[in-house]
Amino acid sequence: MAERKKLYEGKAKILYATEDPAVLVTYFKDDATAFNAQKRGTIANKGCINNAVSTHLFKLLEAQGVTTHWIASPNEREMWVKPVTIVPLEVVVRNLAAGSLCRQTGLALGTPLTPPLVEFYYKNDDLGDPLLTCDRIRAVDIASDDTVTELDRMARSINQILKDFFNSCSITLVDFKLEFGTLADGTLVLADEISPDTCRLWNQEETDESRRVMDKDRFRQDLGDVESGYQQVLDRILAHTN
Ligand code: UDP
């Protein structure tokens, strides 16, 4: 792939067009932000780790019948993806209480959630990505009722696949964020990334509350050893693939 035009630069990734209209390139950066970009930093090697983790998880999901935007991962920083129109909703799935759920409801950290919670947030930085209700999604006209029902179904099925896989890696999938998009023919597909930036992952071999954290909470909470937490997630995934 020769010349390419930058289409969009986000906090953690850059999206490029290619000569082929059916292929975009996602470039994974080492930049990290948290708290709606109020905290900024760099995590060494993060882009490579997140690309590798996302690649493995997209392949795993595709193998189990979930359609994603993933095409190929040609090198350690880049992923080829199908062009999609992103649905402006962040879909969060929660198996255990953590983060904003604890802050907003008073539930204790780690409280099991059965069935898992599926929540929709408005993907809008200016508004601070607020939590939505179905009525609000309808009022703002972000997505149809059928799309919301399908997102809920896909998110729950993705959760089941990822939860079982991480469990086999001795990692607890506490919660995570998904983004979806539509292909030119209207098909809803999983997009963006699934990585330690977008998941809470707890090491089942550690009981200490801060040492068990393998994800972006290490950065958010200044727990140290951020890169090694991310690297350990990748190492476990690689050890349990094939
Ligand atoms: N998350 C994300 N991007 C966001 C917000 C949340 O990837 O913009 C992920 C986050 O890493 C966690 C899950 O979604 O795995 C739930 O996040 P929560 O609502 O608890 O927000 P936080 O406590 O991180 O502010």
Side-chain angles (χ1 to χ4, degrees):
M1 299 257 163
E3 263 314 287
R4 54 194 203 182
K5 184 178 158 221
K6 191 193 279 191
L7 296 178
Y8 171 78
E9 178 155 5
K11 295 165 203 146
K13 299 186 292 297
I14 306 172
L15 192 64
Y16 294 99
T18 70
E19 296 153 337
D20 183 347
V23 180
L24 302 182
V25 175
T26 300
Y27 178 93
F28 285 77
K29 304 193 284 186
D30 288 344
D31 298 345
T33 61
F35 312 120
N36 207 8
Q38 285 169 44
K39 180 179 166 89
R40 290 171 186 274
T42 303
I43 301 168
N45 216 30
K46 175 175 85 88
C48 300
I49 297 171
N50 283 358
N51 187 24
V53 169
S54 287
T55 297
H56 280 275
L57 298 178
F58 282 144
K59 282 187 183 175
L60 170 80
L61 290 166
E62 287 274 352
Q64 306 235 18
V66 177
T67 315
T68 78
H69 70 158
W70 182 81
I71 299 171
S73 300
N75 63 57
E76 58 174 15
R77 287 266 171 196
E78 296 181 348
M79 182 183 282
W80 290 353
V81 298
K82 297 172 198 162
V84 297
T85 304
I86 288 286
V87 177
L89 289 172
E90 298 195 343
V91 183
V92 168
V93 185
R94 300 180 187 274
N95 294 305
L96 300 179
S100 65
L101 181 68
C102 295
R103 291 196 300 274
Q104 292 170 6
T105 64
L107 275 172
L109 180 68
T111 305
L113 303 164
T114 315
L117 306 194
V118 174
E119 301 172 339
F120 297 97
Y121 293 80
Y122 194 4
K123 193 173 149 55
N124 185 319
D125 284 339
D126 293 341
L127 297 176
D129 297 344
L131 178 63
L132 295 173
T133 60
C134 287
D135 279 350
R136 286 186 180 192
I137 293 173
R138 224 173 275 129
V140 186
D141 199 17
I142 297 169
S144 71
D145 288 3
D146 285 353
T147 300
V148 172
T149 303
E150 182 60 5
L151 290 173
D152 181 275
R153 190 198 64 75
M154 286 177 81
R156 288 180 194 280
S157 119
I158 291 165
N159 179 47
Q160 193 60 53
I161 296 164
L162 295 182
K163 197 169 71 165
D164 290 349
F165 174 70
F166 276 117
N167 212 24
S168 76
C169 302
S170 302
I171 294 174
T172 299
L173 178 59
V174 175
D175 61 27
F176 58 100
K177 184 262 300 179
L178 299 172
E179 292 186 28
F180 294 84
T182 46
L183 300 175
D185 70 359
T187 311
L188 205 52
V189 301
L190 179 63
D192 197 49
E193 66 177 303
I194 310 176
S195 72
D197 267 7
T198 63
C199 302
R200 284 197 170 91
L201 302 165
W202 290 353
N203 184 350
Q204 293 171 1
E205 288 162 8
E206 284 280 359
T207 46
D208 179 88
E209 211 174 90
S210 66
R211 282 202 313 221
R212 71 185 173 185
V213 174
M214 307 173 88
D215 56 74
K216 196 165 155 185
D217 274 350
R218 299 208 71 80
F219 171 76
R220 291 188 189 99
Q221 298 170 21
D222 293 318
L223 299 177
D225 296 326
V226 185
E227 186 194 346
S228 61
Y230 277 51
Q231 184 65 49
Q232 217 185 343
V233 172
L234 176 58
D235 291 346
R236 296 249 186 119
I237 288 175
L238 293 177
H240 285 81
T241 304
N242 298 324

